[in-house]
Amino acid sequence: MDKQSLFVQVANLEERIGELYMELGTLKHTIQELIEENQRLRRENEHFQAESVGKSTKPELGSAQENLWRIYREGFHICNVKYGSLRTEGECLFCLSFIERA
Ligand SMILES: [Zn+2]
């Protein structure tokens, strides 16, 4: 087999992988934004529902700390460093210390 053309093929493949990698990164970023937006909208919706229900009966909303825990366990930051963004790197020490103080 022609070594020169083999090298060219591998170089082309490397370039395509590089492009795919960048595309993957963009998609990952878009998905992250969508998840965060979805979470924001859900919170807003819960808030509005609680408000409209609150006019007739008082709903059990749970303590502020419980709500923070729930949001955190669903995978979002609640610390003031990255509030509302998706936790992509496991536990966050800022969030954990924030919950402790809440
Ligand atoms: Zn955090």
Side-chain angles (χ1 to χ4, degrees):
M1 186 182 251
D2 181 2
K3 284 177 187 157
Q4 183 86 25
S5 91
L6 192 61
F7 181 81
V8 170
Q9 274 184 40
V10 170
N12 285 341
L13 195 59
E14 187 183 22
E15 197 178 319
R16 274 165 57 200
I17 290 173
E19 286 167 5
L20 282 174
Y21 185 76
M22 279 174 58
E23 209 176 314
L24 195 63
T26 308
L27 277 174
K28 213 173 105 181
H29 185 72
T30 306
I31 290 173
Q32 187 171 340
E33 282 180 345
L34 285 173
I35 293 174
E36 287 169 9
E37 190 184 2
N38 185 45
Q39 168 75 355
R40 253 197 317 277
L41 292 172
R42 265 180 49 203
R43 294 272 156 252
E44 266 180 41
N45 194 32
E46 275 177 22
H47 182 71
F48 286 130
Q49 280 182 346
E51 260 189 358
S52 61
V53 171
K55 281 166 189 161
S56 48
T57 57
K58 280 247 182 258
E60 279 299 322
L61 287 176
S63 70
Q65 196 178 28
E66 280 169 7
N67 287 334
L68 288 174
W69 257 121
R70 191 159 55 94
I71 296 169
Y72 183 76
R73 285 291 159 230
E74 284 171 4
F76 295 89
H77 283 279
I78 49 140
C79 61
N80 55 9
V81 184
K82 290 181 171 177
Y83 184 83
S85 64
L86 194 63
R87 285 193 297 114
T88 52
E89 285 142 14
E91 305 295 329
C92 171
L93 293 178
F94 295 110
C95 286
L96 292 173
S97 74
F98 185 71
I99 295 173
E100 265 177 32
R101 282 184 277 119

